[in-house]
Amino acid sequence: MTHRRVVRALLACGVAAALALAVLLVDHSQPGGAVGNDVGEPPAGPLAQLLAQVRTTPTRLAMLGYDRSCQRGHACSFGSRWTDNHTGRGGHNSCDTRDDVLRAQLVDVVLKPGTHGCVVLSGTLNDPYTGRQLTWSRRDPSRVQIDHIYPLALAWDMGAASWPAQRRIDFANDQTHELVAVDGHANQAKGDAGPGSWLPLNRGYRCTYLRQFLVVAITYDLPITTADAAAIKHTAGGCQ
């Protein structure tokens, strides 16, 4: 092969590689700037850098229509609880999202026979919100709950009310960014509050919690209130 032909071959390979990369980038995007669950997190860095990427709004304005119930006559705003019918990690694996999270985040897990490795009967949680170790079983299911780092009701008020139904379902079942197994009492105390009103009792987890809150906001292009931003900025100095 002549020198000129070698150059032409290398140029052709380069164009093909560039086209392949472009296809990969397009395949991971969704109409309207939507971001899939498993596209990866924003680059790791100081909280202040993540905070700079998030839109802020002075206050949280309550949007009408939020209804978590899926019974007849209800809005089913984020789809059936812990549905397997979502597009993120664990979706369509024949296990519900709650069991997926319990299997992933508990230790010494005991699975129910005959459920294809899906249903968790018991396990131990090193609770990130309180710093305590909890022994859990299905006899007392509410002792360990699955929290949405960026609360569903808050997301509804901040923009999710206008999302397509499937995007809200994907958000509510996002195991990559949103969901963490925690102490039930701590989860109830948090409610639908942002960092400006609530932070984990376990100070050793606060930086991780705030980082993940910002990751969710960036991933789904959700704004945060100026009060939440101020709380994050106040804590950021003590985070690595």
Side-chain angles (χ1 to χ4, degrees):
M1 184 180 290
T2 67
H3 176 73
R4 181 173 296 177
R5 288 179 178 177
V6 170
V7 170
R8 287 176 177 174
L10 289 173
L11 288 173
C13 290
V15 170
L19 289 173
L21 177 59
V23 169
L24 287 174
L25 291 173
V26 170
D27 285 346
H28 281 84
S29 66
Q30 299 177 13
V35 180
N37 287 355
D38 290 323
V39 297
E41 297 177 358
L47 279 176
Q49 290 183 10
L50 294 176
L51 185 58
Q53 300 178 52
V54 180
R55 294 183 294 119
T56 60
T57 185
T59 58
R60 171 184 177 178
L61 298 178
M63 298 293 293
L64 297 177
Y66 176 72
D67 185 355
R68 191 73 173 99
S69 174
C70 291
Q71 295 181 2
R72 179 176 293 183
H74 289 265
C76 199
S77 299
F78 284 88
S80 301
R81 291 178 185 271
W82 312 130
T83 179
D84 187 40
N85 187 26
H86 62 90
T87 63
R89 177 161 56 89
H92 304 289
N93 67 354
S94 300
C95 303
D96 72 36
T97 298
R98 176 178 167 82
D99 277 318
D100 283 341
V101 176
L102 291 173
R103 285 197 317 277
Q105 299 185 18
L106 271 60
V107 297
D108 301 325
V109 169
V110 176
L111 298 175
K112 183 178 181 179
T115 62
H116 305 288
C118 281
V119 177
V120 178
L121 291 178
S122 64
T124 301
L125 174 69
N126 294 313
D127 175 42
Y129 283 4
T130 65
R132 297 195 300 263
Q133 188 176 82
L134 304 176
T135 301
W136 176 85
S137 79
R138 294 186 87 86
R139 291 189 296 271
D140 185 13
S142 64
R143 188 176 190 192
V144 169
Q145 299 178 9
I146 310 302
D147 184 39
H148 293 86
I149 295 285
Y150 196 116
L152 295 183
L154 177 60
W156 178 268
D157 291 342
M158 291 299 195
S162 64
W163 291 351
Q166 187 60 54
R167 181 163 171 79
R168 292 198 298 268
I169 292 170
D170 292 344
F171 179 82
N173 294 277
D174 183 349
Q175 298 174 42
T176 301
H177 304 103
E178 255 280 78
L179 302 180
V180 58
V182 298
D183 173 79
H185 294 299
N187 189 38
Q188 293 301 310
K190 173 187 173 183
D192 64 354
S197 302
W198 185 90
L199 287 172
L201 180 66
N202 178 14
R203 292 180 177 273
Y205 185 71
R206 287 183 178 179
C207 294
T208 300
Y209 176 81
L210 294 175
R211 182 182 302 278
Q212 201 59 29
F213 182 85
L214 291 174
V215 164
V216 176
I218 294 167
T219 301
Y220 288 91
D221 191 28
L222 287 166
I224 66 175
T225 65
T226 53
D228 288 341
I232 295 170
K233 186 176 181 180
H234 177 76
T235 306
C239 298
Q240 296 297 321

